[in-house]
Amino acid sequence: MAQRRRPIRDILVVLAVVSAFEVRAQQPSDAEASPASEPQGEVLDDRLRKLEAMNRAIVERLDRSERERLRSEDRYRSLESRYEDLLKRLDAKPDAAADALPDPLPPRPAFREPGRQPDDDRPRGLAEHARGGAFADRLLIGAFGEGFGLKTEDDEYQLRFRVLDQTDFKVFSPGNQIPASSGIYIPRVRIYFEGQLTRLFQYEVSIQRSVEGVWDLLDGNVDVNIDPRFKVKFGRTLVPYSYDWYDHLEQYFITPERSLFPLNFGLSRSAGLMAHGRLFEDRLQYAVGGFDGHLVGVADNNSTRDAVSYLNAKPFAQSERWPWLKNLNMGVSGYLGQQVRPQKPLPMRTSLQSSENDEAAQQATSLFLAFNEDVYLLGGHSALAAHVAWYVGGLSFEAEWQGGRDHYARAGSFQPVSVPVSGNHITASYFVTGEKVTDRSRVDPLRPFDPLRNGWGPGAFEPFARYSELRLGETVFKAGLADPNVWTNSIGMTDIGLNWYPTSFIKIYFDWQHAMYGTPVMLNKDLRSNVNDLFWIRGQLYY
């Protein structure tokens, strides 16, 4: 580099000298000069002096630049030498090289157990350090996004805290139904704790207060993340049956609640052991496991286990030829089990997901079928489902077809009676404010409505519509399991409404639900009807 710069400097010096001689040569000799040319000679002398001064400045600038370059090269060689020396020391003795590096942070105060002496520096109760098997305090980093979280710098240990709060404003029509009653209800308040203890072990613990007003365990499981293609989960978790249940949580629903079949015959959450994962570059998702098989309440009073399986394919997930089909989902799911201890069945509902049947649960929804007091679940139960879901641009489309069979018995005989059941739903929505979807997950409005932060946009608007139906076999009446003069064994239902997302964490549902019964249903002692309506507003906070 220095050899290239020196010829340039020499050439400039030579050019300056040559220019000076040329100017001199252009001046007339004293003998030939006339009195009129004297002023012109003075001008040329002045120009020559300015040119020589400019040349001297250029040479000085070049010299200064050369000296700075040489100093930079010396610093670079010094740093390179130190770097190579550190590499050699690290290869020879890693711990010694690490000790030689300066500590970028001041020492942090250690957490001490109660009663522990200050001079006892042996770490206790802390995660084992990956290197060397020793315990050590770790720096925690806080983050807020979809929940509040704490994690270590290497992401090995994480804790996320999330909250879901839903409040319903329901107006039933006719308004004199019994037991359904217009009013304000709290279908779900949930607190989630989830994270990981190293990348191998992920965990989830959550509690819920449902419409009954009782706090109880919702989820409690550990997921062993052996490989994205094969994971093992054990504990209480979502059962992998029905796309409506397993693909996305309640906070991401298009409509306020699930369609009729999964609302009344879904397996919800159970304790069990499950293998799951994603194969073929996320083109195929699978889950298979065994679960406790309880159908009512939280506690399991059954001594057998249900076998459950789920498959979801995205055949065009990696397609570049048909990008609009990347988020097309198709799949099947099913379960097979046995109820060996008699259990009271829940009534059939239109707008409430609950594993209990207390007074609050009865008032928060219309009923279209309730079993007689002497009827129990007993015997085999099974179901199959097939689903299609497609998300493209602002469009969400979901459809599922279900069929199953349950067994019931009456007190005294306990001879199981088989009752077939079938159902389906078609649901669609579209973001008219321009938001794009690839699945049902958090929505970030393009122009959020948050006036206190100078956000005066409209938020995100998502109109939706759904048709859902459910039918139980005539055996439910012929076997004396329910009263055909009071209830119906078939129902069709529409939901038409609008979802408003002011921000990423707030969602407001506006829904008109219209139920159409196959035979008149008793709404109170003096009123039977083939239809009834629900005008429903749900406010939701989730972060």
Side-chain angles (χ1 to χ4, degrees):
M1 190 75 177
Q3 292 176 355
R4 288 196 301 267
R5 288 185 176 274
R6 289 192 184 95
I8 294 174
R9 184 187 62 183
D10 295 341
I11 291 171
L12 290 174
V13 172
V14 170
L15 287 174
V17 173
V18 170
S19 299
F21 278 111
E22 288 179 352
V23 173
R24 292 282 188 179
Q26 292 174 4
Q27 296 181 14
S29 61
D30 294 338
E32 298 174 353
S34 64
S37 65
E38 288 181 1
Q40 184 178 1
E42 293 178 358
V43 172
L44 290 175
D45 288 340
D46 183 61
R47 290 179 59 189
L48 178 60
R49 285 192 296 270
K50 291 180 178 179
L51 181 61
E52 289 174 345
M54 183 177 62
N55 289 337
R56 283 195 299 271
I58 292 173
V59 172
E60 291 175 358
R61 192 174 302 126
L62 286 172
D63 287 339
R64 187 165 54 253
S65 176
E66 180 70 11
R67 289 193 297 270
E68 291 175 356
R69 184 190 64 79
L70 292 175
R71 284 196 296 269
S72 298
E73 287 185 352
D74 290 340
R75 286 195 297 268
Y76 173 77
R77 283 192 293 269
S78 175
L79 290 173
E80 186 177 37
S81 176
R82 293 178 60 188
Y83 173 72
E84 292 176 353
D85 181 59
L86 286 173
L87 285 180
K88 292 177 182 178
R89 293 170 62 187
L90 183 62
D91 292 337
K93 190 176 181 181
D95 290 340
D99 293 340
L101 292 174
D103 189 359
L105 294 174
R108 290 174 281 112
F111 292 95
R112 302 189 185 278
E113 297 176 355
R116 189 176 178 190
Q117 298 301 320
D119 57 348
D120 185 0
D121 291 329
R122 293 171 297 169
R124 299 176 184 175
L126 299 173
E128 185 172 357
H129 197 279
R131 186 189 71 187
F135 289 92
D137 291 341
R138 290 171 178 261
L139 179 66
L140 291 179
I141 301 172
F144 181 82
E146 194 167 327
F148 177 78
L150 295 171
K151 65 176 184 176
T152 55
E153 293 175 290
D154 56 6
D155 288 336
E156 285 288 324
Y157 301 90
Q158 298 181 12
L159 169 63
R160 292 184 296 276
F161 172 80
R162 302 183 184 183
V163 172
L164 170 67
D165 179 59
Q166 294 179 334
T167 303
D168 285 349
F169 303 84
K170 290 184 171 182
V171 177
F172 293 96
S173 178
N176 55 350
Q177 297 182 43
I178 297 176
S181 177
S182 301
I184 300 176
Y185 298 93
I186 300 178
R188 298 176 184 89
V189 176
R190 293 177 179 175
I191 300 175
Y192 298 87
F193 301 91
E194 56 191 25
Q196 66 182 35
L197 300 172
T198 73
R199 288 179 173 85
L200 181 61
F201 300 104
Q202 299 173 344
Y203 64 88
E204 179 184 15
V205 176
S206 57
I207 56 176
Q208 171 177 278
R209 179 201 183 277
S210 54
V211 70
E212 299 89 0
V214 178
W215 286 93
D216 214 328
L217 178 68
L218 180 69
D219 295 294
N221 59 75
V222 175
D223 199 6
V224 185
N225 186 18
I226 300 170
D227 186 275
R229 295 165 295 184
F230 181 76
K231 304 179 182 180
V232 177
K233 180 182 286 190
F234 59 90
R236 180 176 167 85
T237 185
L238 274 172
V239 177
Y241 168 71
S242 173
Y243 185 85
D244 232 12
W245 264 104
Y246 189 62
D247 182 74
H248 46 270
L249 297 174
E250 290 85 350
Q251 48 265 43
Y252 303 125
F253 284 174
I254 296 175
T255 56
E257 288 293 345
R258 294 179 173 89
S259 60
L260 287 165
F261 189 99
L263 188 72
N264 291 285
F265 291 94
L267 294 184
S268 185
R269 288 166 165 84
S270 293
L273 176 68
M274 175 177 71
H276 65 110
R278 297 177 183 269
L279 305 173
F280 311 119
E281 296 181 312
D282 288 343
R283 290 185 177 91
L284 180 65
Q285 178 188 10
Y286 73 92
V288 59
F291 295 85
D292 61 21
H294 80 277
L295 300 176
V296 178
V298 176
D300 175 30
N301 63 352
N302 202 23
S303 59
T304 62
R305 296 293 174 262
D306 287 357
V308 188
S309 61
Y310 176 91
L311 287 174
N312 181 59
K314 298 176 67 174
F316 303 100
Q318 307 299 328
S319 174
E320 297 182 359
R321 183 175 181 181
W322 294 296
W324 47 279
L325 292 176
K326 282 189 174 183
N327 297 302
L328 175 65
N329 299 259
M330 299 180 291
V332 296
S333 57
Y335 69 84
L336 178 66
Q338 187 85 7
Q339 182 71 35
V340 298
R341 294 182 180 179
Q343 190 174 56
K344 289 288 292 182
L346 294 172
M348 302 290 110
R349 299 158 169 161
T350 60
S351 62
L352 179 70
Q353 174 66 49
S354 176
S355 60
E356 304 293 344
N357 190 33
D358 63 1
E359 182 179 356
Q362 295 176 19
Q363 292 178 348
T365 179
S366 295
L367 305 180
F368 61 91
L369 189 148
F371 294 91
N372 293 333
E373 288 296 325
D374 62 345
V375 175
Y376 295 86
L377 284 162
L378 183 66
H381 53 261
S382 59
L384 290 173
H387 66 263
V388 175
W390 186 32
Y391 310 99
V392 59
L395 173 68
S396 294
F397 174 83
E398 298 174 357
E400 192 162 26
W401 296 264
Q402 298 106 342
R405 186 172 294 273
D406 287 274
H407 287 76
Y408 301 86
R410 300 185 67 179
S413 65
F414 288 106
Q415 294 296 320
V417 176
S418 175
V419 178
V421 59
S422 61
N424 60 75
H425 81 91
I426 298 177
T427 309
S429 68
Y430 188 82
F431 280 95
V432 296
T433 44
E435 287 74 16
K436 308 298 182 184
V437 295
T438 58
D439 55 16
R440 295 305 299 183
S441 56
R442 192 181 82 178
V443 174
D444 295 319
L446 297 176
R447 293 169 292 166
F449 176 76
D450 192 354
L452 294 182
R453 300 182 62 187
N454 202 29
W456 292 96
F461 286 96
E462 181 187 27
F464 65 82
R466 178 179 71 189
Y467 176 75
S468 174
E469 63 181 18
L470 179 67
R471 180 179 178 82
L472 285 78
E474 291 293 334
T475 313
V476 72
F477 294 138
K478 293 179 179 180
L481 305 179
D483 187 349
N485 298 313
V486 177
W487 308 114
T488 185
N489 65 332
S490 64
I491 176 178
M493 193 168 69
T494 60
D495 287 86
I496 299 174
L498 173 72
N499 295 327
W500 179 39
Y501 304 78
T503 70
S504 301
F505 309 110
I506 303 295
K507 181 179 181 181
I508 311 295
Y509 298 83
F510 301 90
D511 183 26
W512 168 40
Q513 186 178 92
H514 180 67
M516 300 160 285
Y517 305 123
T519 57
V521 170
M522 185 178 72
L523 301 182
N524 61 43
K525 291 182 180 180
D526 303 317
L527 178 63
R528 285 171 170 78
S529 176
N530 287 91
V531 298
N532 73 277
D533 296 281
L534 168 62
F535 300 95
W536 190 354
I537 298 176
R538 169 173 289 179
Q540 172 181 294
L541 177 146
Y542 177 67
Y543 73 89

